[in-house]
């Protein structure tokens, strides 16, 4: 599939801000990009932005108007060209003044500018917030299910694979600049059906993730306060309110500030857990040598148990889901490569070290999250330090899905820019609705965590594996798949596609089997329960 070739409007009057010129600019964009209602289309057409196929004019736009606030980065000039060659005048571009007649060529309104301040370092932080949460402390239990060797191989291998598929996701965004969310990319390969399907998957998955963080917050508060007389629903409501408040910043550049707190919080919680379990193991009767960890898979390992643990590792690397949403705010999108490598290597290091050490210190009885394996007092302290992770990492999912819904529902309205009183009221109401729905679903379904395993298998398998493989074959590949330059990548992407389908099928089976086992053992609680013991 090749990108449609845009046409560049030609100026016919001295001032290009005439009604006829604006109509030509709008027609050019709506005919040259797949999603006519996308945010990028509306912005470019309404402001006379040059057609997306004209690389030189796009570069001039970026240099002349995008603010350089983030990461002390400046967008580089094209090498070997003088300033006079790198900048185009209004007359050359055929672009006049916009809106009030006071804005220059290619300039953004104040409402638009705040959505293009994300550099690669802050993108890395946003991806860390979205990807690394308290779930990283579920990795030791995955090691216990499959053994030390298999655990390390899976953690490193799936991490490298996630970096590769995220690179493909980014390449699609670089080639098709109108892509602002995952649904826009799937539309390129599956048309309107793919757009609607991926959009539904995207929204449902992120709302359910927000719901999982309300439950995690409930568990944390119950552990910290340790007062069985307080109804568990109270802690769930408090968690939902905190998730709502933290999700209110509408731009990811603003959200990245909270990301530094989030990252520091999870690192400290992980270190406390590792040190506490290590000290406990060393002071036990048999010392470190008495811990019952295994190099190889345990003898009682079952297929569904091992695969359920594997899906926990897969879920921990699911940063491709929101990548398009974050890249749409970058002032230099090509720098995404730095971000995914930085994030991927950080994740591989943290997950492998945490999984191996805690498993070696606790053994086969390690709990998930591993904080629960520490002594009661240490567990309280660790949960307290991890509170920012629970609410910051959970709320960014609400922000992403809120932006997706707002841009799709109001593509032609300035309300989507959230820079007026009306815009802020709509945004606050939308985030509140998303949070309430997430809380209700989480509390209403007594096996919600196991249900989340099914949802992860159904959705992560696509967002992180078989969709990127299809993107390469249908959007990025040049020439036949069996040509010399393509054969190796065809094999690699074919394997990635197969891995995605295996996760889809086997992961769903493992999660359903887990739900059935919970019902058989009586571990399934009741909806909207006040009993705090059901959360422990």
């Amino acid at each position: 599939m090749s990108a449609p070739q845009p046409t560049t409007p030609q100026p016919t009057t001295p001032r290009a801000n005439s009604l006829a010129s604006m109509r030509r600019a709008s027609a050019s964009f709506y005919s040259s990009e797949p999603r006519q209602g996308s945010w990028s289309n509306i912005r470019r057409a309404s402001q006379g932005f040059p057609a997306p196929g004209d690389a030189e004019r796009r570069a001039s736009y970026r240099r002349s108007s995008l603010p350089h606030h983030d990461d002390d980065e400046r967008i580089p000039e094209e090498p070997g060209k003088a300033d006079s060659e790198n900048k185009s005048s209004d007359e050359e571009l055929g672009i006049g003044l916009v809106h009030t007649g006071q804005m220059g060529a290619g300039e953004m309104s104040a409402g638009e500018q705040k959505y293009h301040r994300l550099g690669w370092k802050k993108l890395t932080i946003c991806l860390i917030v979205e990807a690394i949460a308290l779930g990283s402390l579920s990795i030791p239990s995955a090691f216990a299910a499959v053994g030390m060797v298999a655990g390390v191989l899976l953690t490193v291998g799936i991490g490298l694979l996630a970096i590769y598929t995220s690179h493909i996701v980014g390449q699609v965004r670089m080639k098709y600049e109108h892509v602002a969310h995952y649904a826009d990319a799937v539309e390129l390969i599956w048309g309107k059906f793919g757009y609607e399907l991926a959009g539904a998957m995207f929204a449902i998955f992120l709302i359910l993730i927000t719901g999982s963080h309300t439950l995690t917050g409930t568990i944390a508060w119950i552990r910290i306060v340790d007062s069985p007389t307080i109804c568990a629903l109270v802690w769930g409501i408090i968690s939902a309110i905190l998730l709502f408040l933290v999700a209110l910043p509408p731009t990811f550049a603003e959200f990245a500030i909270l990301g530094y707190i989030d990252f520091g919080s999870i690192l400290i919680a992980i270190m406390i857990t590792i040190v506490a379990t290590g000290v406990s193991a060393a002071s036990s009767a048999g010392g470190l040598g008495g811990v019952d960890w295994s190099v190889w898979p345990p003898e009682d390992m079952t297929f569904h148990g091992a695969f359920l643990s594997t899906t926990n590792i897969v879920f921990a690397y699911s940063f491709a889901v929101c990548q398009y949403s974050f890249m749409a705010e970058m002032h230099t999108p090509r720098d995404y490569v730095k971000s995914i490598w930085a994030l991927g290597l950080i994740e591989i290091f943290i997950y492998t070290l945490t999984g191996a050490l805690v498993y070696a210190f606790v053994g086969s009885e390690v709990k998930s999250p591993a904080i629960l394996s520490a002594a009661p007092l240490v567990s309280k302290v660790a949960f307290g330090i991890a509170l920012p992770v629970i609410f910051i990492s959970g709320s960014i999912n609400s922000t992403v899905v809120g932006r997706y819904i707002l841009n799709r529902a109001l593509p032609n309205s300035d309300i989507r820019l959230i820079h007026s009183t009306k815009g802020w009221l709509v945004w606050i109401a939308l985030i509140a609705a998303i949070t309430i729905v997430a809380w209700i679903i989480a509390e209403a379904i007594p096996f919600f965590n196991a249900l989340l395993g099914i949802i992860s298998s159904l959705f992560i398998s696509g967002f992180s594996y078989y969709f990127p493989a299809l993107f390469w074959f249908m959007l990025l590949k040049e020439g036949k798949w069996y040509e010399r330059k393509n054969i190796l990548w065809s094999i690699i992407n074919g394997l990635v596609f197969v891995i995605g389908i295996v996760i889809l099928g086997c992961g769903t089976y493992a999660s359903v089997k887990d739900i059935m086992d919970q019902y058989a053992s009586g571990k399934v609680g009741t909806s909207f329960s006040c009993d705090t013991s059901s959360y422990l």
Side-chain angles (χ1 to χ4, degrees), residues 28 32 145 184 255 262-263 303 360 372 410 413 423 430 476 533:
S28 169
S32 64
D184 297 324
F255 209 105
D262 178 281
F263 190 37
F303 173 79
L372 299 175
L410 302 170
S413 173
L430 178 60
L476 302 176
S533 64

Side-chain angles (χ1 to χ4, degrees), residues 15 17 97-104:
R15 298 301 299 172
N17 59 335
L97 306 179
V98 276
H99 299 306
T100 64
Q102 297 177 350
M103 295 176 65

Side-chain angles (χ1 to χ4, degrees), residues 253-524:
E254 294 169 341
F255 209 105
I257 297 172
L258 297 174
Y260 294 103
I261 301 173
D262 178 281
F263 190 37
S265 175
I266 189 61
L267 286 181
I268 295 172
I270 287 173
M271 285 190 290
I272 288 174
T273 303
I274 292 174
V275 172
T277 54
V279 170
S280 177
S283 59
S284 62
L288 293 175
V291 180
D292 63 335
W293 64 274
S294 173
V295 174
W296 308 111
E299 294 181 359
D300 60 347
M301 183 184 74
T302 61
F303 173 79
H304 83 273
F307 209 92
L308 198 61
S309 298
T310 302
T311 57
N312 287 340
I313 300 175
V314 169
F315 180 75
Y317 287 108
S318 59
F319 49 86
V321 179
C322 299
Q323 187 175 329
Y324 286 124
S325 305
F326 297 147
M327 288 184 67
E329 286 198 13
M330 293 187 73
H331 60 60
T332 313
R334 64 179 176 272
D335 284 347
Y336 82 93
V337 178
K338 302 175 185 177
S339 295
I340 61 173
W341 272 103
L343 170 68
L345 294 178
I346 288 171
E347 282 193 312
I348 290 172
F349 176 77
I350 290 176
Y351 294 163
T352 306
L353 195 67
T354 304
L357 288 179
V358 175
Y359 176 46
F361 292 154
V362 179
S364 60
E365 298 301 317
V366 63
K367 298 179 181 179
S368 179
I371 291 176
L372 299 175
S373 298
L377 179 59
V378 175
S379 180
K380 286 184 179 182
V381 173
F383 266 121
I385 292 173
L387 284 176
V389 180
I390 296 170
F391 299 116
I392 295 174
S393 290
S395 59
I396 197 171
N397 296 287
S398 301
T399 304
V400 172
V401 74
R403 289 280 303 280
Y404 168 72
I405 293 172
L406 194 62
N407 293 335
R408 179 169 180 178
L410 302 170
N412 297 298
S413 173
D414 280 348
I415 290 176
R416 61 186 169 77
L417 300 179
I418 318 172
H419 66 102
S420 63
T421 301
K422 188 175 182 180
W424 272 105
L425 289 175
V426 171
W427 175 250
I428 291 171
L430 178 60
I431 295 300
I434 291 169
T435 307
I436 291 171
V437 170
W439 177 79
I440 290 174
I441 294 174
E443 292 288 351
I445 301 174
F447 52 88
F448 179 77
N449 284 333
L451 174 65
L452 197 64
I454 297 177
I455 300 300
S456 298
S457 299
L458 291 174
F459 295 166
I460 296 297
S461 59
F463 290 133
S464 294
Y465 299 99
Y466 62 76
F467 278 147
L470 291 174
F471 291 160
W472 186 86
F473 278 107
M474 301 177 70
L475 302 177
L476 302 176
K477 174 177 62 64
E478 297 179 355
K480 303 295 185 181
W481 70 269
Y482 49 79
E483 292 180 12
R484 174 175 293 184
K485 65 177 181 179
N486 291 329
I487 188 66
L488 176 61
W489 297 112
S490 295
I491 294 172
I492 291 174
N493 285 284
L495 290 173
V496 170
F497 180 82
V498 171
I499 290 171
I501 297 301
V502 170
I503 293 172
L504 173 64
C506 296
T508 303
Y509 162 77
S511 298
V512 170
K513 184 69 167 59
D514 183 57
I515 293 174
M516 295 172 62
D517 290 345
Q518 287 189 43
Y519 267 109
S521 62
K523 293 181 179 179
V524 176

Side-chain angles (χ1 to χ4, degrees), residues 70-71 73 117-124 330-331 339:
D70 188 49
D71 304 332
E73 298 174 17
R117 294 184 289 127
L118 198 65
W120 75 268
K121 294 176 184 176
K122 285 187 177 178
L123 172 61
T124 304
M330 293 187 73
H331 60 60
S339 295

